[in-house]
Amino acid sequence: MIRVLLVHDACLVRSALARWLRDEADLRVYDAPWHGAPSRLRTVHPDICAADLDCSDAYGIPPLRDLCTHEADRTPPRLLVLASAHRPGLLKRAAEAGALGYVNKEGSPENLLRAIRRVAKGKRFVDDTLGYSFLKAAEMPLTERELSVLSLAADGASVAEIAGSLHLSHGTIRNYMAAITRKTGARNRIDAIRISQGEGWL
């Protein structure tokens, strides 16, 4: 039996997908929104977390590492993500968090089943339709931390708010913004956001 925790912020989509997966005899499926996922992890101890990369909390930044928390007496769950081909920045975040499975949300639901069973065996699954997005992600000049800073800035957060969210000093945030502007070839913060959104990094 493969224990799966489905993490998705859209209640209707999450409930429908979880019900569909529960028809499979070899799966035991639980579900939670992003904000409830860490506590759900501790109670159900899944083998796999299947997480939607579009997160409505934390300024849209999916806290993927929260799903891979290691407990002293348990192996952390393997991570499988539901991704969009036009968001290579989120694919990069997932890869840096150690995801084994990558399923295109616009593809066939049977792909998700194949991915769950493959990842449960410790094997990698990458949807063929995400190949170009991975190439784009590899070319992306921004680090994970810089993407976090820019994502918060794109949502309108001030330097002080970004610093508070990421537990960093104001000066460090300004240094990150300067590096982001330089790496993207932008004129200023607004231009860096525009360029990054156009490239699908945010």
Side-chain angles (χ1 to χ4, degrees), residues 13-82:
V13 174
R14 185 180 72 244
S15 299
L17 188 53
R19 179 172 295 183
W20 180 75
L21 289 172
R22 288 181 184 120
D23 287 339
E24 301 297 314
D26 60 334
L27 303 184
R28 179 168 295 172
V29 182
Y30 308 88
D31 64 277
W34 269 102
H35 69 83
S39 60
R40 196 80 164 121
L41 271 174
R42 291 190 292 270
T43 57
V44 304
H45 305 295
D47 302 303
I48 292 175
C49 280
D52 177 40
L53 286 182
D54 289 316
C55 173
S56 64
D57 293 337
Y59 296 93
I61 303 171
L64 292 167
R65 296 190 190 280
D66 290 353
L67 302 182
C68 305
T69 303
H70 180 74
E71 295 183 28
D73 57 341
R74 289 185 178 274
T75 302
R78 296 184 173 111
L79 180 60
L80 182 159
V81 296
L82 310 179

Side-chain angles (χ1 to χ4, degrees), residues 8-154:
H8 201 300
D9 274 342
C11 182
L12 182 61
V13 174
R14 185 180 72 244
S15 299
L17 188 53
R19 179 172 295 183
W20 180 75
L21 289 172
R22 288 181 184 120
D23 287 339
E24 301 297 314
D26 60 334
L27 303 184
R28 179 168 295 172
V29 182
Y30 308 88
D31 64 277
W34 269 102
H35 69 83
S39 60
R40 196 80 164 121
L41 271 174
R42 291 190 292 270
T43 57
V44 304
H45 305 295
D47 302 303
I48 292 175
C49 280
D52 177 40
L53 286 182
D54 289 316
C55 173
S56 64
D57 293 337
Y59 296 93
I61 303 171
L64 292 167
R65 296 190 190 280
D66 290 353
L67 302 182
C68 305
T69 303
H70 180 74
E71 295 183 28
D73 57 341
R74 289 185 178 274
T75 302
R78 296 184 173 111
L79 180 60
L80 182 159
V81 296
L82 310 179
S84 296
H86 65 281
R87 301 289 299 278
L90 291 178
L91 282 176
K92 184 174 183 179
R93 287 179 185 276
E96 290 172 342
L100 270 181
Y102 302 82
V103 177
N104 191 336
K105 294 194 291 186
E106 296 177 9
S108 163
E110 281 71 24
N111 275 350
L112 177 57
L113 280 175
R114 285 193 288 271
I116 288 172
R117 289 171 177 141
R118 187 167 177 83
V119 170
K121 296 175 182 177
K123 297 179 180 179
R124 185 173 297 278
F125 180 95
V126 180
D127 199 311
D128 292 341
T129 58
L130 295 176
Y132 180 71
S133 298
F134 270 102
L135 290 176
K136 292 278 286 182
E139 296 169 354
M140 187 167 49
L142 304 180
T143 66
E144 182 181 10
R145 179 62 84 184
E146 288 164 351
L147 283 170
S148 295
V149 170
L150 194 59
S151 294
L152 292 167

